[in-house]
Amino acid sequence: MKRLLLFIFILISGKLFAQPSDFILLQKHNQTVASFYKGNDISFVTTSGAAIDAQITGIRNDSIFLAQYIIQQVPTNAGVNISDTVGSYPYQFNYNEIKSINLPGRHFDVSASGTSLFGGGLLLLVGSGVVYLADKKDFSPVLMIAGAALATIGYFLTRKHTDGYTIGKKYKLAYIDVTSDKKQ
């Protein structure tokens, strides 16, 4: 029994060996927000304006290697459609070429809320104007002012872009080199 356990332990320990790889940290005031390494999915915008949503295939020498897969609905012989990987594109970027990173998950969309406020405020404003023209005794100046205020607030909220973490003053990327030989 002891030999069997020893054999299983040796077999499992051989499978647990992992090679370290470089990784990139997204930091806010030197606090880590997210880390990206081989095998992760990443979504970002480059400094040239290209939007990339791909899987990381490697990180080394200040470069991030990506594979972007094309997945489409393909008909089968049975007459039904299935999702299939049609092709892939390899990419390579220096990590300094990343302008902003979009983290996965559910986030509050301020711009969409601003659009709703703008539309509702505009509707109140136009409705109050029609009531003023049709029947001045039922007109409410407070409602017209509230509609104008809501439309103004909504307009400014639609201008606020919260699409990701923009690299700059607040957020920065840090490349962590784990694999290189440091000879002294």
Side-chain angles (χ1 to χ4, degrees):
M1 182 69 177
K2 289 182 182 180
R3 288 185 181 173
L4 178 64
L5 288 175
L6 180 64
F7 177 72
I8 291 173
F9 177 73
I10 291 172
L11 188 65
I12 291 174
S13 65
K15 296 288 182 183
L16 295 178
F17 177 78
Q19 180 180 356
S21 66
D22 298 346
F23 57 95
I24 295 175
L25 297 177
L26 175 64
Q27 296 179 329
K28 177 182 179 181
H29 304 299
N30 293 327
Q31 294 288 333
T32 301
V33 176
S35 59
F36 302 98
Y37 47 89
K38 181 179 178 179
N40 277 79
D41 291 330
I42 187 169
S43 177
F44 63 91
V45 177
T46 64
T47 53
S48 64
I52 304 292
D53 188 10
Q55 184 180 33
I56 300 173
T57 58
I59 300 173
R60 62 183 173 278
N61 300 333
D62 295 345
S63 295
I64 182 167
F65 299 91
L66 305 167
Q68 188 174 28
Y69 298 102
I70 304 168
I71 300 172
Q72 292 180 348
Q73 293 286 328
V74 179
T76 64
N77 293 338
V80 295
N81 292 335
I82 60 168
S83 294
D84 192 15
T85 303
V86 179
S88 67
Y89 294 109
Y91 291 106
Q92 175 183 352
F93 292 100
N94 188 312
Y95 81 99
N96 291 322
E97 294 180 40
I98 298 175
K99 179 180 175 184
S100 67
I101 292 182
N102 304 320
L103 292 182
R106 298 178 60 175
H107 301 285
F108 183 72
D109 191 1
V110 176
S111 181
S113 296
T115 304
S116 298
L117 276 177
F118 180 73
L122 203 61
L123 187 65
L124 280 174
L125 191 62
V126 169
S128 294
V130 169
V131 168
Y132 178 76
L133 293 175
D135 191 13
K136 291 184 180 161
K137 65 180 177 176
D138 288 334
F139 171 70
S140 172
V142 175
L143 193 59
M144 186 175 217
I145 292 170
L150 285 175
T152 304
I153 291 169
Y155 173 77
F156 286 114
L157 284 178
T158 59
R159 298 291 174 203
K160 184 171 175 61
H161 297 288
T162 57
D163 57 348
Y165 298 97
T166 304
I167 310 302
K169 292 180 184 177
K170 194 184 236 184
Y171 296 98
K172 69 176 185 173
L173 289 176
Y175 173 76
I176 309 298
D177 187 7
V178 178
T179 59
S180 69
D181 295 331
K182 296 176 176 69
K183 296 181 181 178
Q184 298 176 15

